[in-house]
Amino acid sequence: MGGRDGHVVSRRQILRLAGTGLGLAVFGAGVVGCGPEEEADLSGGSSKPGGGRSGGSFTTPPPGTAPKPLWQAAAANTSLSGLDALAVIGDLALVSGDPLVGRDMATGKEKWSRRGVTTPGAKLLVGGGTLYLASAEYDGDVVGLDPATGKETWRSRLGKQYEQPRPIAADDRHVYVLAGILEEDFTTPNNVIAAIDTTSGKIAWREQRDAGTEEFGITAAAVDGRLIYTDYRENVTVRDTATGRQLWTKKISRSNNRRFAVHEDLVIVADARRLRAFDLAGGKERWSLRTEEFSTFNDPHVLDGVLYASDSVRGMWAVDPATGKQIWHNEDLLDSATQAWQFVKVNGTLYGATEFDEDGGVHAFDAATGKLRWTYNDNTGDIQQWYVAAAGDRLAVMHGKRLYALPAV
């Protein structure tokens, strides 16, 4: 496309402008289409007899070629599902939905299925080997399931004065829940965050949050004695898991209810154009890394001691999470990869799942350089977001109402 001065305007420049809302004004309503380098069809199977559907070994496809699914199955995933709709626990892949199903990662066979066990779009939260969910009865109960069998092993509740507690995080000692405080008129203008002891089922602590804080848009994690969460109100907050005492909270400039990363004594969040690392103990900002003009960072992930993140103009970043120093920044993905929002790493390959793009899918990157190796797309044209989870030498991949197993090659 030609600029006013006769120079060619790159597609990367168009995306940068579009990311700030200027793209349509400058270039009109045209859409630039970008497809993956390689696509695999939906039929699945393995290039080696017995190598996939029976749970056996599999062969590696040629360089630059996406592998075919080892198996595929229906998934009860819905549009309500959030960040934690897919999980691999042991040798099972679990999908949040009704029914809640556990499938063997080697064969795809259903190991167990439970209907009416939890609320739509429930997060799959595991602590101490137990899967914690809000009860589907909307009775205020929080239930614990054995993820290997789907059988209920635990149940507790905050009390009748609270509206439908929702688990937000779990560790070996507690399951952490958020609940509205019911007033006489049945409104919930205020809410609490609480910890339930996973041994006794009793409330370990309960703290009322500040007036005006919302119950929704919460992303949380319990790590090394700290409960960390971000919210729609543009805060990052840290509490002591033993007492519930709020240690600190910080305002950030952009609503952040997505994934954050924790590395040693730091919590790292994507805050518009910056990645920011805060000290877990006191909240002091330890480092900040800025992306390019007209772009913003997506969710950070720390995998094998390296922080990986994509940006809104399809750049890929690898960063030292302790210092914020750039390891590499790959800007060559504009014509070959849509931006990924979720990452897992197996050996030397980084896998990224994309969002809301029919040309997306699961990208495989060289973790050392960020170079794209291949893209798997099921060719369904469904724009629902993709999910990926690592399972040994396999990947659990979900797209819309379809669950696949791919070899991690």
Side-chain angles (χ1 to χ4, degrees):
M1 184 177 293
R4 290 182 180 177
D5 57 0
H7 293 295
V8 174
V9 180
S10 74
R11 296 171 75 191
R12 188 171 184 86
Q13 288 173 302
I14 295 173
L15 281 187
R16 286 175 181 167
L17 290 169
T20 64
L22 296 176
L24 293 179
V26 176
F27 298 104
V31 177
V32 176
C34 302
E37 280 188 339
E38 298 287 343
E39 293 183 342
D41 63 31
L42 187 60
S43 59
S46 170
S47 55
K48 180 178 180 180
R53 298 181 188 276
S54 65
S57 61
F58 44 77
T59 58
T60 300
T65 303
K68 293 183 178 181
L70 303 172
W71 54 259
Q72 59 192 53
N77 177 42
T78 72
S79 59
L80 295 174
S81 298
L83 302 181
D84 303 295
L86 172 68
V88 171
I89 305 172
D91 59 356
L92 295 183
L94 275 62
V95 175
S96 177
D98 192 15
L100 180 66
V101 175
R103 291 189 180 275
D104 186 277
M105 274 302 303
T107 65
K109 292 182 179 179
E110 183 180 294
K111 288 292 188 179
W112 58 263
S113 177
R114 292 283 308 275
R115 284 195 177 276
V117 72
T118 190
T119 55
K123 297 180 179 180
L124 299 176
L125 301 176
V126 177
T130 299
L131 174 65
Y132 293 102
L133 303 160
S135 169
E137 300 298 324
Y138 293 93
D139 53 7
D141 284 4
V142 178
V143 298
L145 305 182
D146 178 353
T149 64
K151 294 180 179 179
E152 183 177 317
T153 59
W154 184 92
R155 183 176 288 259
S156 184
R157 65 186 304 155
L158 284 186
K160 293 183 178 180
Q161 68 271 39
Y162 300 102
E163 181 194 46
Q164 188 57 26
R166 293 174 300 284
I168 59 172
D171 57 24
D172 290 347
R173 296 181 57 190
H174 302 130
V175 54
Y176 304 92
V177 299
L178 193 67
I181 303 172
L182 281 170
E183 302 292 338
E184 291 184 1
D185 60 357
F186 298 103
T187 61
T188 55
N190 298 300
N191 60 85
V192 297
I193 193 165
I196 302 176
D197 188 286
T198 55
T199 300
S200 66
K202 295 181 179 179
I203 299 172
W205 51 260
R206 179 174 46 211
E207 295 289 329
Q208 183 168 331
R209 298 175 70 212
D210 294 340
T213 54
E214 298 176 355
E215 298 177 50
F216 301 95
I218 303 291
T219 300
V223 181
D224 294 334
R226 299 289 184 265
L227 177 64
I228 309 146
Y229 54 95
T230 58
D231 57 47
Y232 279 145
R233 289 284 186 165
E234 305 175 4
N235 302 297
V236 55
T237 304
V238 175
R239 291 180 181 270
D240 183 281
T241 58
T243 65
R245 181 172 64 91
Q246 182 171 298
L247 302 177
W248 56 268
T249 186
K250 289 278 186 180
K251 280 286 183 184
I252 52 180
S253 62
R254 181 186 179 194
S255 179
N256 190 320
N257 67 311
R258 294 291 298 262
R259 295 185 188 276
F260 53 83
V262 178
H263 175 72
E264 296 179 348
D265 59 345
L266 298 176
V267 54
I268 304 162
V269 300
D271 185 6
R273 289 187 59 197
R274 292 187 295 164
L275 290 174
R276 302 175 69 187
F278 299 100
D279 181 78
L280 269 176
K284 181 179 179 180
E285 187 169 309
R286 294 264 289 272
W287 60 258
S288 175
L289 176 67
R290 187 177 293 272
T291 187
E292 298 174 298
E293 191 175 9
F294 305 129
S295 68
T296 58
F297 275 114
N298 297 316
D299 305 0
H301 293 66
V302 173
L303 303 167
D304 293 340
V306 177
L307 187 151
Y308 299 98
S310 64
D311 63 34
S312 60
V313 291
R314 302 183 185 177
M316 280 286 295
W317 299 72
V319 177
D320 182 341
T323 64
K325 292 183 178 179
Q326 176 184 313
I327 299 173
W328 52 256
H329 176 205
N330 188 345
E331 301 179 84
D332 300 329
L333 301 173
L334 178 59
D335 295 318
S336 57
T338 53
Q339 64 188 29
W341 72 281
Q342 181 190 26
F343 294 100
V344 297
K345 187 178 179 183
V346 180
N347 299 323
T349 302
L350 181 70
Y351 299 94
T354 69
E355 280 191 298
F356 312 124
D357 193 321
E358 66 179 22
D359 292 323
V362 174
H363 302 312
F365 302 99
D366 184 328
T369 64
K371 182 179 179 180
L372 181 68
R373 294 181 53 204
W374 48 259
T375 295
Y376 171 76
N377 187 295
D378 57 15
N379 299 323
T380 63
D382 192 336
I383 64 170
Q384 293 297 316
Q385 67 185 24
W386 291 73
Y387 296 81
V388 63
D393 61 353
R394 297 166 186 252
L395 302 172
V397 172
M398 185 166 66
H399 183 217
K401 294 185 179 295
R402 293 166 294 276
L403 180 67
Y404 308 99
L406 296 181
V409 294

